[in-house]
PDB file of all heavy atoms in Angstrom:
ATOM      1  N   ALA A 471      85.525  97.512 121.769  1.00 94.00           N
ATOM      2  CA  ALA A 471      85.787  97.953 123.138  1.00 94.00           C
ATOM      3  C   ALA A 471      86.102  99.433 123.176  1.00 94.00           C
ATOM      4  O   ALA A 471      85.633 100.169 124.057  1.00 94.00           O
ATOM      5  CB  ALA A 471      86.938  97.123 123.717  1.00 94.00           C
ATOM      6  N   CYS A 472      86.907  99.907 122.234  1.00 96.00           N
ATOM      7  CA  CYS A 472      87.268 101.335 122.216  1.00 96.00           C
ATOM      8  C   CYS A 472      86.028 102.194 122.040  1.00 96.00           C
ATOM      9  O   CYS A 472      85.868 103.227 122.731  1.00 96.00           O
ATOM     10  CB  CYS A 472      88.259 101.582 121.090  1.00 96.00           C
ATOM     11  SG  CYS A 472      89.932 101.010 121.438  1.00 96.00           S
ATOM     12  N   LEU A 473      85.153 101.836 121.088  1.00 96.00           N
ATOM     13  CA  LEU A 473      83.984 102.650 120.855  1.00 96.00           C
ATOM     14  C   LEU A 473      83.025 102.595 122.037  1.00 96.00           C
ATOM     15  O   LEU A 473      82.500 103.633 122.480  1.00 96.00           O
ATOM     16  CB  LEU A 473      83.276 102.154 119.582  1.00 96.00           C
ATOM     17  CG  LEU A 473      82.085 103.012 119.130  1.00 96.00           C
ATOM     18  CD1 LEU A 473      82.519 104.472 118.834  1.00 96.00           C
ATOM     19  CD2 LEU A 473      81.408 102.420 117.905  1.00 96.00           C
ATOM     20  N   GLY A 474      82.824 101.380 122.564  1.00 94.00           N
ATOM     21  CA  GLY A 474      81.916 101.251 123.718  1.00 94.00           C
ATOM     22  C   GLY A 474      82.379 102.049 124.927  1.00 94.00           C
ATOM     23  O   GLY A 474      81.585 102.720 125.586  1.00 94.00           O
ATOM     24  N   LEU A 475      83.682 101.986 125.240  1.00 94.00           N
ATOM     25  CA  LEU A 475      84.213 102.703 126.378  1.00 94.00           C
ATOM     26  C   LEU A 475      84.153 104.217 126.166  1.00 94.00           C
ATOM     27  O   LEU A 475      83.897 104.976 127.104  1.00 94.00           O
ATOM     28  CB  LEU A 475      85.655 102.261 126.654  1.00 94.00           C
ATOM     29  CG  LEU A 475      85.812 100.838 127.222  1.00 94.00           C
ATOM     30  CD1 LEU A 475      87.267 100.421 127.203  1.00 94.00           C
ATOM     31  CD2 LEU A 475      85.260 100.774 128.649  1.00 94.00           C
ATOM     32  N   ALA A 476      84.398 104.653 124.948  1.00 96.00           N
ATOM     33  CA  ALA A 476      84.339 106.094 124.658  1.00 96.00           C
ATOM     34  C   ALA A 476      82.932 106.631 124.849  1.00 96.00           C
ATOM     35  O   ALA A 476      82.728 107.711 125.422  1.00 96.00           O
ATOM     36  CB  ALA A 476      84.851 106.376 123.243  1.00 96.00           C
ATOM     37  N   VAL A 477      81.933 105.873 124.352  1.00 96.00           N
ATOM     38  CA  VAL A 477      80.537 106.309 124.534  1.00 96.00           C
ATOM     39  C   VAL A 477      80.168 106.306 126.008  1.00 96.00           C
ATOM     40  O   VAL A 477      79.506 107.221 126.510  1.00 96.00           O
ATOM     41  CB  VAL A 477      79.605 105.377 123.722  1.00 96.00           C
ATOM     42  CG1 VAL A 477      78.148 105.668 124.052  1.00 96.00           C
ATOM     43  CG2 VAL A 477      79.826 105.562 122.226  1.00 96.00           C
ATOM     44  N   GLN A 478      80.591 105.282 126.708  1.00 93.00           N
ATOM     45  CA  GLN A 478      80.288 105.184 128.143  1.00 93.00           C
ATOM     46  C   GLN A 478      80.923 106.318 128.929  1.00 93.00           C
ATOM     47  O   GLN A 478      80.319 106.878 129.863  1.00 93.00           O
ATOM     48  CB  GLN A 478      80.814 103.844 128.658  1.00 93.00           C
ATOM     49  CG  GLN A 478      80.564 103.603 130.140  1.00 93.00           C
ATOM     50  CD  GLN A 478      81.087 102.233 130.590  1.00 93.00           C
ATOM     51  OE1 GLN A 478      80.781 101.233 129.965  1.00 93.00           O
ATOM     52  NE2 GLN A 478      81.901 102.206 131.620  1.00 93.00           N
ATOM     53  N   LYS A 479      82.140 106.720 128.568  1.00 95.00           N
ATOM     54  CA  LYS A 479      82.847 107.777 129.261  1.00 95.00           C
ATOM     55  C   LYS A 479      82.263 109.146 128.996  1.00 95.00           C
ATOM     56  O   LYS A 479      82.031 109.935 129.919  1.00 95.00           O
ATOM     57  CB  LYS A 479      84.318 107.742 128.850  1.00 95.00           C
ATOM     58  CG  LYS A 479      85.166 108.924 129.346  1.00 95.00           C
ATOM     59  CD  LYS A 479      85.450 108.851 130.812  1.00 95.00           C
ATOM     60  CE  LYS A 479      86.436 109.935 131.258  1.00 95.00           C
ATOM     61  NZ  LYS A 479      86.739 109.886 132.670  1.00 95.00           N
ATOM     62  N   PHE A 480      82.023 109.472 127.720  1.00 96.00           N
ATOM     63  CA  PHE A 480      81.670 110.842 127.358  1.00 96.00           C
ATOM     64  C   PHE A 480      80.215 111.059 127.024  1.00 96.00           C
ATOM     65  O   PHE A 480      79.754 112.196 127.001  1.00 96.00           O
ATOM     66  CB  PHE A 480      82.536 111.295 126.164  1.00 96.00           C
ATOM     67  CG  PHE A 480      83.998 111.340 126.461  1.00 96.00           C
ATOM     68  CD1 PHE A 480      84.858 110.396 125.894  1.00 96.00           C
ATOM     69  CD2 PHE A 480      84.527 112.290 127.298  1.00 96.00           C
ATOM     70  CE1 PHE A 480      86.220 110.417 126.155  1.00 96.00           C
ATOM     71  CE2 PHE A 480      85.911 112.321 127.589  1.00 96.00           C
ATOM     72  CZ  PHE A 480      86.741 111.394 127.004  1.00 96.00           C
ATOM     73  N   GLY A 481      79.464 109.994 126.758  1.00 95.00           N
ATOM     74  CA  GLY A 481      78.050 110.146 126.424  1.00 95.00           C
ATOM     75  C   GLY A 481      77.865 111.060 125.229  1.00 95.00           C
ATOM     76  O   GLY A 481      78.588 110.994 124.229  1.00 95.00           O
ATOM     77  N   LEU A 484      80.724 113.081 123.539  1.00 97.00           N
ATOM     78  CA  LEU A 484      81.786 112.438 122.754  1.00 97.00           C
ATOM     79  C   LEU A 484      82.073 113.193 121.464  1.00 97.00           C
ATOM     80  O   LEU A 484      83.206 113.222 121.011  1.00 97.00           O
ATOM     81  CB  LEU A 484      81.381 110.988 122.443  1.00 97.00           C
ATOM     82  CG  LEU A 484      82.377 110.164 121.609  1.00 97.00           C
ATOM     83  CD1 LEU A 484      83.746 110.122 122.290  1.00 97.00           C
ATOM     84  CD2 LEU A 484      81.842 108.746 121.378  1.00 97.00           C
ATOM     85  N   GLN A 487      84.983 115.319 121.575  1.00 98.00           N
ATOM     86  CA  GLN A 487      86.286 114.672 121.771  1.00 98.00           C
ATOM     87  C   GLN A 487      86.817 114.182 120.433  1.00 98.00           C
ATOM     88  O   GLN A 487      86.909 113.006 120.141  1.00 98.00           O
ATOM     89  CB  GLN A 487      86.125 113.502 122.759  1.00 98.00           C
ATOM     90  CG  GLN A 487      85.565 113.892 124.107  1.00 98.00           C
ATOM     91  CD  GLN A 487      86.469 114.834 124.864  1.00 98.00           C
ATOM     92  OE1 GLN A 487      87.702 114.698 124.845  1.00 98.00           O
ATOM     93  NE2 GLN A 487      85.892 115.813 125.574  1.00 98.00           N
ATOM     94  N   GLU A 489      89.763 114.095 119.118  1.00 98.00           N
ATOM     95  CA  GLU A 489      90.956 113.256 119.069  1.00 98.00           C
ATOM     96  C   GLU A 489      90.582 111.780 119.340  1.00 98.00           C
ATOM     97  O   GLU A 489      91.128 110.870 118.687  1.00 98.00           O
ATOM     98  CB  GLU A 489      91.967 113.692 120.117  1.00 98.00           C
ATOM     99  CG  GLU A 489      92.461 115.138 119.938  1.00 98.00           C
ATOM    100  CD  GLU A 489      91.660 116.140 120.757  1.00 98.00           C
ATOM    101  OE1 GLU A 489      90.456 115.872 121.019  1.00 98.00           O
ATOM    102  OE2 GLU A 489      92.209 117.191 121.100  1.00 98.00           O
ATOM    103  N   VAL A 490      89.662 111.562 120.269  1.00 98.00           N
ATOM    104  CA  VAL A 490      89.219 110.195 120.561  1.00 98.00           C
ATOM    105  C   VAL A 490      88.487 109.585 119.379  1.00 98.00           C
ATOM    106  O   VAL A 490      88.728 108.439 118.985  1.00 98.00           O
ATOM    107  CB  VAL A 490      88.310 110.190 121.804  1.00 98.00           C
ATOM    108  CG1 VAL A 490      87.671 108.816 122.019  1.00 98.00           C
ATOM    109  CG2 VAL A 490      89.106 110.589 123.043  1.00 98.00           C
ATOM    110  N   LEU A 491      87.644 110.369 118.746  1.00 98.00           N
ATOM    111  CA  LEU A 491      86.922 109.903 117.574  1.00 98.00           C
ATOM    112  C   LEU A 491      87.879 109.564 116.442  1.00 98.00           C
ATOM    113  O   LEU A 491      87.714 108.553 115.726  1.00 98.00           O
ATOM    114  CB  LEU A 491      85.913 110.952 117.116  1.00 98.00           C
ATOM    115  CG  LEU A 491      84.754 111.259 118.073  1.00 98.00           C
ATOM    116  CD1 LEU A 491      83.975 112.470 117.599  1.00 98.00           C
ATOM    117  CD2 LEU A 491      83.839 110.054 118.223  1.00 98.00           C
ATOM    118  N   LEU A 493      91.010 108.626 116.722  1.00 98.00           N
ATOM    119  CA  LEU A 493      91.742 107.428 117.046  1.00 98.00           C
ATOM    120  C   LEU A 493      90.915 106.181 116.772  1.00 98.00           C
ATOM    121  O   LEU A 493      91.402 105.163 116.258  1.00 98.00           O
ATOM    122  CB  LEU A 493      92.198 107.466 118.513  1.00 98.00           C
ATOM    123  CG  LEU A 493      93.335 108.437 118.817  1.00 98.00           C
ATOM    124  CD1 LEU A 493      93.488 108.632 120.335  1.00 98.00           C
ATOM    125  CD2 LEU A 493      94.659 107.923 118.237  1.00 98.00           C
ATOM    126  N   PHE A 494      89.614 106.261 117.113  1.00 98.00           N
ATOM    127  CA  PHE A 494      88.755 105.115 116.798  1.00 98.00           C
ATOM    128  C   PHE A 494      88.688 104.892 115.293  1.00 98.00           C
ATOM    129  O   PHE A 494      88.723 103.746 114.822  1.00 98.00           O
ATOM    130  CB  PHE A 494      87.333 105.317 117.344  1.00 98.00           C
ATOM    131  CG  PHE A 494      86.391 104.265 116.827  1.00 98.00           C
ATOM    132  CD1 PHE A 494      86.380 102.985 117.355  1.00 98.00           C
ATOM    133  CD2 PHE A 494      85.569 104.522 115.732  1.00 98.00           C
ATOM    134  CE1 PHE A 494      85.574 101.990 116.834  1.00 98.00           C
ATOM    135  CE2 PHE A 494      84.749 103.548 115.194  1.00 98.00           C
ATOM    136  CZ  PHE A 494      84.742 102.275 115.750  1.00 98.00           C
ATOM    137  N   SER A 544      96.993 103.098 118.293  1.00 98.00           N
ATOM    138  CA  SER A 544      95.836 103.973 118.338  1.00 98.00           C
ATOM    139  C   SER A 544      94.938 103.610 119.509  1.00 98.00           C
ATOM    140  O   SER A 544      94.391 104.481 120.195  1.00 98.00           O
ATOM    141  CB  SER A 544      95.049 103.887 117.027  1.00 98.00           C
ATOM    142  OG  SER A 544      95.798 104.387 115.958  1.00 98.00           O
ATOM    143  N   ALA A 545      94.750 102.306 119.750  1.00 98.00           N
ATOM    144  CA  ALA A 545      93.884 101.871 120.849  1.00 98.00           C
ATOM    145  C   ALA A 545      94.468 102.261 122.189  1.00 98.00           C
ATOM    146  O   ALA A 545      93.727 102.671 123.109  1.00 98.00           O
ATOM    147  CB  ALA A 545      93.686 100.362 120.764  1.00 98.00           C
ATOM    148  N   ARG A 546      95.773 102.136 122.366  1.00 98.00           N
ATOM    149  CA  ARG A 546      96.395 102.543 123.627  1.00 98.00           C
ATOM    150  C   ARG A 546      96.182 104.024 123.905  1.00 98.00           C
ATOM    151  O   ARG A 546      95.871 104.435 125.029  1.00 98.00           O
ATOM    152  CB  ARG A 546      97.900 102.243 123.588  1.00 98.00           C
ATOM    153  CG  ARG A 546      98.242 100.781 123.792  1.00 98.00           C
ATOM    154  CD  ARG A 546      99.745 100.530 123.702  1.00 98.00           C
ATOM    155  NE  ARG A 546     100.022  99.124 123.990  1.00 98.00           N
ATOM    156  CZ  ARG A 546     100.181  98.656 125.241  1.00 98.00           C
ATOM    157  NH1 ARG A 546     100.088  99.462 126.268  1.00 98.00           N
ATOM    158  NH2 ARG A 546     100.415  97.382 125.417  1.00 98.00           N
ATOM    159  N   ARG A 547      96.331 104.838 122.891  1.00 98.00           N
ATOM    160  CA  ARG A 547      96.131 106.274 123.063  1.00 98.00           C
ATOM    161  C   ARG A 547      94.683 106.591 123.409  1.00 98.00           C
ATOM    162  O   ARG A 547      94.398 107.443 124.226  1.00 98.00           O
ATOM    163  CB  ARG A 547      96.545 106.996 121.783  1.00 98.00           C
ATOM    164  CG  ARG A 547      98.053 106.955 121.520  1.00 98.00           C
ATOM    165  CD  ARG A 547      98.422 107.574 120.183  1.00 98.00           C
ATOM    166  NE  ARG A 547      99.859 107.556 119.978  1.00 98.00           N
ATOM    167  CZ  ARG A 547     100.467 107.878 118.833  1.00 98.00           C
ATOM    168  NH1 ARG A 547      99.702 108.244 117.769  1.00 98.00           N
ATOM    169  NH2 ARG A 547     101.769 107.810 118.716  1.00 98.00           N
ATOM    170  N   LEU A 548      93.772 105.882 122.741  1.00 98.00           N
ATOM    171  CA  LEU A 548      92.334 106.121 123.020  1.00 98.00           C
ATOM    172  C   LEU A 548      91.994 105.684 124.440  1.00 98.00           C
ATOM    173  O   LEU A 548      91.313 106.437 125.169  1.00 98.00           O
ATOM    174  CB  LEU A 548      91.507 105.325 122.000  1.00 98.00           C
ATOM    175  CG  LEU A 548      89.986 105.579 122.035  1.00 98.00           C
ATOM    176  CD1 LEU A 548      89.408 105.389 120.648  1.00 98.00           C
ATOM    177  CD2 LEU A 548      89.261 104.666 123.023  1.00 98.00           C
ATOM    178  N   LEU A 549      92.435 104.505 124.823  1.00 97.00           N
ATOM    179  CA  LEU A 549      92.123 104.012 126.184  1.00 97.00           C
ATOM    180  C   LEU A 549      92.663 104.938 127.250  1.00 97.00           C
ATOM    181  O   LEU A 549      92.024 105.178 128.280  1.00 97.00           O
ATOM    182  CB  LEU A 549      92.669 102.591 126.357  1.00 97.00           C
ATOM    183  CG  LEU A 549      91.960 101.505 125.517  1.00 97.00           C
ATOM    184  CD1 LEU A 549      92.714 100.198 125.629  1.00 97.00           C
ATOM    185  CD2 LEU A 549      90.517 101.346 125.959  1.00 97.00           C
ATOM    186  N   ALA A 550      93.846 105.471 127.034  1.00 97.00           N
ATOM    187  CA  ALA A 550      94.434 106.396 128.016  1.00 97.00           C
ATOM    188  C   ALA A 550      93.673 107.705 128.095  1.00 97.00           C
ATOM    189  O   ALA A 550      93.767 108.436 129.107  1.00 97.00           O
ATOM    190  CB  ALA A 550      95.903 106.671 127.666  1.00 97.00           C
ATOM    191  N   ALA A 551      92.889 108.026 127.055  1.00 97.00           N
ATOM    192  CA  ALA A 551      92.085 109.248 127.072  1.00 97.00           C
ATOM    193  C   ALA A 551      90.741 109.041 127.741  1.00 97.00           C
ATOM    194  O   ALA A 551      90.060 110.013 128.066  1.00 97.00           O
ATOM    195  CB  ALA A 551      91.891 109.755 125.643  1.00 97.00           C
ATOM    196  N   VAL A 552      90.348 107.771 127.927  1.00 96.00           N
ATOM    197  CA  VAL A 552      89.005 107.524 128.501  1.00 96.00           C
ATOM    198  C   VAL A 552      89.061 106.888 129.892  1.00 96.00           C
ATOM    199  O   VAL A 552      88.065 106.896 130.626  1.00 96.00           O
ATOM    200  CB  VAL A 552      88.141 106.671 127.580  1.00 96.00           C
ATOM    201  CG1 VAL A 552      87.945 107.364 126.251  1.00 96.00           C
ATOM    202  CG2 VAL A 552      88.724 105.292 127.362  1.00 96.00           C
ATOM    203  N   GLU A 553      90.187 106.304 130.262  1.00 95.00           N
ATOM    204  CA  GLU A 553      90.302 105.650 131.560  1.00 95.00           C
ATOM    205  C   GLU A 553      91.645 105.994 132.213  1.00 95.00           C
ATOM    206  O   GLU A 553      92.551 106.527 131.557  1.00 95.00           O
ATOM    207  CB  GLU A 553      90.172 104.117 131.431  1.00 95.00           C
ATOM    208  CG  GLU A 553      88.814 103.640 130.977  1.00 95.00           C
ATOM    209  CD  GLU A 553      87.710 103.844 132.012  1.00 95.00           C
ATOM    210  OE1 GLU A 553      88.043 104.247 133.148  1.00 95.00           O
ATOM    211  OE2 GLU A 553      86.561 103.607 131.692  1.00 95.00           O
ATOM    212  N   GLU A 554      91.760 105.683 133.511  1.00 95.00           N
ATOM    213  CA  GLU A 554      93.028 105.877 134.200  1.00 95.00           C
ATOM    214  C   GLU A 554      93.134 104.886 135.361  1.00 95.00           C
ATOM    215  O   GLU A 554      92.171 104.185 135.684  1.00 95.00           O
ATOM    216  CB  GLU A 554      93.125 107.312 134.737  1.00 95.00           C
ATOM    217  CG  GLU A 554      91.999 107.710 135.669  1.00 95.00           C
ATOM    218  CD  GLU A 554      92.071 109.177 136.069  1.00 95.00           C
ATOM    219  OE1 GLU A 554      92.861 109.931 135.484  1.00 95.00           O
ATOM    220  OE2 GLU A 554      91.310 109.556 136.989  1.00 95.00           O
ATOM    221  N   GLY A 555      94.297 104.804 135.974  1.00 96.00           N
ATOM    222  CA  GLY A 555      94.491 103.945 137.129  1.00 96.00           C
ATOM    223  C   GLY A 555      94.270 102.489 136.859  1.00 96.00           C
ATOM    224  O   GLY A 555      94.651 101.950 135.792  1.00 96.00           O
ATOM    225  N   MET A 557      91.528 100.820 136.226  1.00 92.00           N
ATOM    226  CA  MET A 557      90.664 100.527 135.095  1.00 92.00           C
ATOM    227  C   MET A 557      91.454 100.570 133.774  1.00 92.00           C
ATOM    228  O   MET A 557      91.264  99.739 132.898  1.00 92.00           O
ATOM    229  CB  MET A 557      89.477 101.503 135.041  1.00 92.00           C
ATOM    230  CG  MET A 557      88.443 101.269 136.100  1.00 92.00           C
ATOM    231  SD  MET A 557      87.713  99.597 136.017  1.00 92.00           S
ATOM    232  CE  MET A 557      86.918  99.636 134.447  1.00 92.00           C
ATOM    233  N   LEU A 558      92.336 101.580 133.670  1.00 95.00           N
ATOM    234  CA  LEU A 558      93.150 101.663 132.451  1.00 95.00           C
ATOM    235  C   LEU A 558      94.026 100.415 132.337  1.00 95.00           C
ATOM    236  O   LEU A 558      94.157  99.839 131.259  1.00 95.00           O
ATOM    237  CB  LEU A 558      93.998 102.929 132.485  1.00 95.00           C
ATOM    238  CG  LEU A 558      94.995 103.060 131.313  1.00 95.00           C
ATOM    239  CD1 LEU A 558      94.283 103.038 129.979  1.00 95.00           C
ATOM    240  CD2 LEU A 558      95.812 104.348 131.477  1.00 95.00           C
ATOM    241  N   ARG A 559      94.639 100.018 133.432  1.00 94.00           N
ATOM    242  CA  ARG A 559      95.496  98.819 133.385  1.00 94.00           C
ATOM    243  C   ARG A 559      94.700  97.571 132.997  1.00 94.00           C
ATOM    244  O   ARG A 559      95.197  96.708 132.261  1.00 94.00           O
ATOM    245  CB  ARG A 559      96.188  98.626 134.731  1.00 94.00           C
ATOM    246  CG  ARG A 559      97.338  99.605 134.949  1.00 94.00           C
ATOM    247  CD  ARG A 559      98.096  99.280 136.231  1.00 94.00           C
ATOM    248  NE  ARG A 559      97.370  99.777 137.407  1.00 94.00           N
ATOM    249  CZ  ARG A 559      97.489 101.005 137.887  1.00 94.00           C
ATOM    250  NH1 ARG A 559      98.300 101.869 137.309  1.00 94.00           N
ATOM    251  NH2 ARG A 559      96.816 101.381 138.963  1.00 94.00           N
ATOM    252  N   PHE A 561      92.029  97.469 131.055  1.00 93.00           N
ATOM    253  CA  PHE A 561      91.677  97.515 129.647  1.00 93.00           C
ATOM    254  C   PHE A 561      92.942  97.373 128.761  1.00 93.00           C
ATOM    255  O   PHE A 561      92.851  96.804 127.664  1.00 93.00           O
ATOM    256  CB  PHE A 561      90.927  98.808 129.301  1.00 93.00           C
ATOM    257  CG  PHE A 561      89.528  98.791 129.850  1.00 93.00           C
ATOM    258  CD1 PHE A 561      89.095  99.775 130.715  1.00 93.00           C
ATOM    259  CD2 PHE A 561      88.639  97.780 129.516  1.00 93.00           C
ATOM    260  CE1 PHE A 561      87.807  99.774 131.224  1.00 93.00           C
ATOM    261  CE2 PHE A 561      87.340  97.772 130.006  1.00 93.00           C
ATOM    262  CZ  PHE A 561      86.918  98.773 130.868  1.00 93.00           C
ATOM    263  N   LEU A 562      94.062  97.836 129.249  1.00 95.00           N
ATOM    264  CA  LEU A 562      95.299  97.628 128.501  1.00 95.00           C
ATOM    265  C   LEU A 562      95.675  96.154 128.451  1.00 95.00           C
ATOM    266  O   LEU A 562      96.215  95.652 127.468  1.00 95.00           O
ATOM    267  CB  LEU A 562      96.434  98.455 129.089  1.00 95.00           C
ATOM    268  CG  LEU A 562      96.358  99.967 128.848  1.00 95.00           C
ATOM    269  CD1 LEU A 562      97.501 100.687 129.577  1.00 95.00           C
ATOM    270  CD2 LEU A 562      96.398 100.302 127.349  1.00 95.00           C
TER     271      LEU A 562
END
Side-chain angles (χ1 to χ4, degrees):
C472 285
L473 186 60
L475 289 170
V477 171
Q478 180 179 309
K479 172 72 174 181
F480 297 109
L484 179 57
Q487 303 296 321
E489 300 93 332
V490 172
L491 295 171
L493 287 167
F494 170 78
S544 295
R546 283 178 176 275
R547 292 175 179 172
L548 187 151
L549 291 172
V552 300
E553 294 291 353
E554 58 185 10
M557 288 301 296
L558 174 59
R559 284 186 282 273
F561 288 122
L562 287 176

